[in-house]
Amino acid sequence: MATPVPVHEPHKFKTIRQIAFPSIDARKHNLAAAHFNVFNLTPPQVSFDMVSYGSGAMTQEQLAGQFIGDEAYAGARNFETLCGNINRVLGHTHVCPTHNSLGSVKILLHVFAESGQRLPSNARGRVDLHAPRGIELYDVRDHGQDVFTGNFDLAALEAGIGASRPPFIGAQAFADGQHPVSLANLRAARALADRHGLRLVLDVSRVVENAWYIQRYEPGMGDRTIADIVKQFAKTAHVILMDGAQDARANTGGFLATDNPADHEHFINEIVVFEGLHTYGGMAGRTMEVLARGLAEMCDEPTVQWAMQQTERFTARLRAAGVPLERGCDGAYLRADAFLPQVTAYPEHALACALYQTAGVRALVQGLAGRGEHLLPLQIPRLAMTNRQLDQVADAVIALHRQREQVPALSLERDGQWHDELRFGAVFADFEPVAFDCEPYLAHTLEPIAVTTREQRLQAMREAGWNTFLLRSADVAIDLLTDSGTTAMSTAQWAAYDAALPTPATSSAYLEFAAAIRDVYGYEHVLPTHQGRAAEQILSEVMIRPGQIVPGNMYFTTTKVHQEYAGGVFADVIVDEAHDPTSLFRWKGNIDLAKLEALVQQHGAAQIAYISFELSVNLAGGQPVSMDNLREVYAWTRRHGIPVMFDATRAVENAYMIQAHDPRYKDTRVKDILREMMLYGDGATVSGKKDFLINIGGLLTFKDNAEWARKSEAKLRIYEGGVRDGGLPAADLAAMAQGVREMVDDRYIQARVGQAQRLAGWLREAGVPVVEPTGSHAVFIDARRFLPHVDQDEYPAQRLSSEIYIETGVRTMERGNVSSGRDPDGSNHHPALELVRLTLARRVYSDDHLREVANGIIRLWQRRESIHGLRFVYEPKDLRFFQGRFEPMEAAAAV
Ligand SMILES: *Cc1c(COP(=O)(O)O)cnc(C)c1O
């Protein structure tokens, strides 16, 4: 059965590549320096490079394969893996590896063809490879087709063969990226080849997209899997060749394969001359492994359906706006001549320049110039972009289309045979620039997520005792349990991670990290710890004398525990609005100065250890502190000689909230806002697993007090590790240093917080009760208002979070009666807030994931009366939310 079109990616982002966003002035400068040929631009000059060749996202399996290339000259294991997978996926037994498809074509023509021959093919794109060899490629495509425009005109093929015997018949799956071939037609071409004693040679570089068209449009094929169609299609040819940088999503590599041992022998006799040895063919071992794994995965049904849905959606958006284009298997191929009728020469180059100037988007013209096609392909790098990004790229093209009359012609300054040789001169038009607010990164590697049925999820939930903490991650599609340590690291972080040199002394990674902290926070003393709570322990022991008061704006679990262990007494000084889930006050994280004043009146300033000042207050729902409050509290503490210690775990998110909601800061960079915020404190603890964009790490830092730093270092050595590493390997320190630089990027933090705002917006629109205003790292659903008919002692939030999993595969967390535990008298604590928390990992999920989260919850909202409560079947004494097991009330009633 063909899988239905998935509504979100069947994977999450595992690692990401940052995107550059050069200014319009920089883009004009770059264009001039590139002689108005976008071929000469480099990736740091480009925001979205719309080419699909070798630019796809790998899976984590492929990335792992990259590191197990055995790099042997002869008989590499990776070659064996490659042969096995080619045989399994494409059905051919004998493999001749090559460095890429040019290598394959080189061998093929050398073995089978000679100068002066004419070669029939359904593809034109490879004419540039044949012409210089004196081989004339001629078109035998059936131009009367609607869908399968790549089909052979069998009569024309027959006639052509009659006129001059070709070396073989050339076929391409999804010819030239635009023309799919039906299986029936390919089989007919095969039969024809057999009748004439000719080989059918098929390029399967884009076989997956072609198979999708067969599945969707060829009669009788709708219930076949992509894998099945791909194999049948490939097996139809005598010889296949493939470029590894297309469907298999390697960055290079290729092969020829056949079932004919004699042909194979011819190929491998040439391989030593032209490519390498017959067991590596000019590929590194790692390339063979990445290619082999990519082959094994490329027919994964949900992934194929997702990728094709992206192409269809992107194309439809452009088409609906009247942009002239032709179908591409991997994007939309703009018809530059129809787009720019006023530009008679090189309209494709003029369009490419205008698109880059207005939006920083590159579309590339390749191959031989002067073929008169004037197509500008906008290809989607396979699986690397989100729909939000693609929509915005499409909108940039549409915006340019509206201004198309202003696009100037280019003047040719240097002619050449190939597009990449051309140079132009031009004048700039005054286009309206396009601004992006999508994710400022691309997927680099992907991690598959669970695709499950409702029945499977119900079973998993029963096994987990109706407790989302007890679910296996392998059963979870979208994990919104926590934003702690769940970040996708960037390639820059991984590069730093790999390069870091370990030492128990002072590592360069430490110095980098300390420099980043001094730059971003302006604090002098930098003590790394393995997590935030370790920093909290040390801070509490150094700063608190037993019996002292520690006022804080609400509390965080680990923070409070360490203050109490050190003999401190926590006092809540957050504004009253923070405790009211319906209050719309914007700065619910603020400290109430009157409450501070009262503490000093009662106990005296000397009895206050320090102010424990959390930013983006987690337990209040990620609620921000205003800049005014930071200033006022600091001024007040200066009068009383009381230090201010931040919990800066989500300080960047707080800085963004100030930029977004305090008009005085709307044009100030987040980095500068953060720097001002940190002025109003004397030190900070940080859980690096949040803002710092890493999976493990923490920080204790002091602005300038050397005595606190020295005392803390003494404890660091005993509790954590070396004084310059805090128990973290240099690699993690290096990744953390890079994460600190990335976290203050305005586009990144806006995209992150924007996700929470949009998710809350979709829920709110449908009437689902959410806590207001939405914070920066999570969305909270009010389970009391969602399930008013469920008694709080039947754990409405616990049940709701279980139902959300069963409905959608989304894992959330209860924050209500179960989490708050029992009072000393044994009765439930009955907290005011009975919430389900949806927490967003950083750089991991797309809006499509979150849209499905919202849709699933809205479906539950619509049938909320049918949802009942839970009762404990196993209740641990402490922290019962981690291990507790439940059963539905209706099951209990049925017994
Ligand atoms: C996560 C967190 C901590 C604890 O940090 P760990 O790295 O988990 O030890 C402290 N404070 C806040 C606000 C947090 O969110």
Side-chain angles (χ1 to χ4, degrees), residues 844-863:
V844 171
Y845 294 113
S846 73
D847 271 32
D848 294 284
H849 289 115
L850 298 183
R851 186 72 242 192
E852 175 54 17
V853 171
N855 288 345
I857 292 171
I858 291 166
R859 289 196 295 274
L860 291 174
W861 171 246
Q862 284 157 356
R863 62 170 178 82

Side-chain angles (χ1 to χ4, degrees), residues 5-249:
V5 179
V7 292
H8 57 71
E9 291 90 336
H11 49 254
K12 56 183 171 182
F13 288 12
K14 180 78 173 190
T15 58
I16 60 99
R17 278 195 175 110
Q18 290 174 285
I19 302 173
F21 289 89
S23 68
I24 178 117
D25 293 326
R27 299 199 295 264
K28 285 161 86 171
H29 173 93
N30 296 339
L31 266 182
H35 305 284
F36 294 91
N37 185 338
V38 299
F39 174 81
N40 296 315
L41 298 171
T42 56
Q45 299 177 328
V46 173
S47 297
F48 292 101
D49 207 354
M50 303 303 287
V51 285
S52 63
Y53 186 84
S55 54
M58 287 188 283
T59 62
Q60 59 181 11
E61 286 298 314
Q62 284 182 293
L63 183 67
Q66 184 172 296
F67 292 99
I68 59 168
D70 81 357
E71 311 305 350
Y73 197 85
R77 311 179 171 80
N78 311 116
F79 180 64
E80 292 170 16
T81 315
L82 180 62
C83 292
N85 288 357
I86 289 170
N87 183 242
R88 244 191 317 284
V89 178
L90 301 169
H92 289 262
T93 346
H94 302 291
V95 176
C96 170
T98 58
H99 79 285
N100 64 15
S101 64
L102 293 199
S104 299
V105 171
K106 183 165 56 172
I107 305 273
L108 194 65
L109 294 180
H110 201 81
V111 168
F112 290 141
E114 50 197 58
S115 181
Q117 280 186 305
R118 300 184 74 229
L119 179 61
S121 172
N122 68 337
R124 297 287 299 150
R126 284 289 156 83
V127 70
D128 47 11
L129 302 183
H130 295 78
R133 295 177 163 98
I135 295 163
E136 188 197 336
L137 205 65
Y138 68 96
D139 180 11
V140 286
R141 226 157 33 85
D142 180 353
H143 291 268
Q145 291 284 328
D146 284 340
V147 175
F148 291 105
T149 53
N151 277 2
F152 286 92
D153 178 337
L154 296 162
L157 182 58
E158 188 89 55
I161 293 170
S164 87
R165 188 173 170 80
F168 53 85
I169 297 171
Q172 224 183 70
F174 234 115
D176 302 335
Q178 291 184 268
H179 308 295
V181 184
S182 73
L183 184 58
N185 183 261
L186 192 73
R187 284 182 170 152
R190 161 77 191 227
L192 192 152
D194 285 341
R195 274 205 307 285
H196 290 275
L198 289 168
R199 293 176 189 81
L200 179 66
V201 177
L202 174 67
D203 181 342
V204 293
S205 304
R206 295 178 178 123
V207 67
V208 170
E209 293 90 335
N210 201 125
W212 182 85
Y213 267 81
I214 290 173
Q215 187 188 56
R216 178 170 269 215
Y217 296 110
E218 189 160 346
M221 301 301 287
D223 59 354
R224 305 288 187 83
T225 62
I226 294 291
D228 180 29
I229 298 169
V230 162
K231 191 163 183 176
Q232 289 191 40
F233 197 85
K235 272 199 81 74
T236 302
H238 295 92
V239 175
I240 56 171
L241 65 139
M242 186 172 202
D243 197 309
Q246 299 273 10
D247 281 349
R249 296 196 321 280

Side-chain angles (χ1 to χ4, degrees), residues 516-651:
I517 293 299
R518 285 177 196 133
D519 177 38
V520 170
Y521 289 180
Y523 287 9
E524 178 57 28
H525 303 284
V526 178
L527 287 71
T529 58
H530 85 279
Q531 283 201 189
R533 65 196 69 186
E536 291 171 342
Q537 179 190 6
I538 295 171
L539 179 76
S540 303
E541 291 183 12
V542 167
M543 305 286 295
I544 301 171
R545 271 184 289 109
Q548 275 189 312
I549 315 281
V550 188
N553 50 343
M554 209 168 256
Y555 67 96
F556 185 75
T557 47
T558 56
T559 321
K560 183 161 164 253
V561 164
H562 283 300
Q563 289 165 0
E564 287 168 355
Y565 275 5
V569 180
F570 166 79
D572 189 3
V573 292
I574 202 164
V575 292
D576 288 339
E577 288 90 338
H579 294 285
D580 175 2
T582 60
S583 159
L584 293 176
F585 182 52
R586 174 39 72 195
W587 310 103
K588 279 182 173 179
N590 280 359
I591 284 180
D592 186 337
L593 272 171
K595 291 183 186 172
L596 275 185
E597 194 62 56
L599 285 175
V600 169
Q601 294 294 330
Q602 195 186 343
H603 305 280
Q607 263 303 97
I608 312 281
Y610 56 89
I611 312 289
S612 179
F613 207 167
E614 188 183 332
L615 302 166
S616 292
V617 181
N618 190 355
L619 290 198
Q623 299 296 341
V625 179
S626 72
M627 191 68 94
D628 289 326
N629 192 246
L630 286 161
R631 288 179 189 156
E632 285 159 16
V633 169
Y634 194 61
W636 181 91
T637 59
R638 292 314 88 171
R639 289 200 294 279
H640 294 281
I642 301 170
V644 172
M645 295 294 161
F646 289 122
D647 181 338
T649 294
R650 293 184 184 80

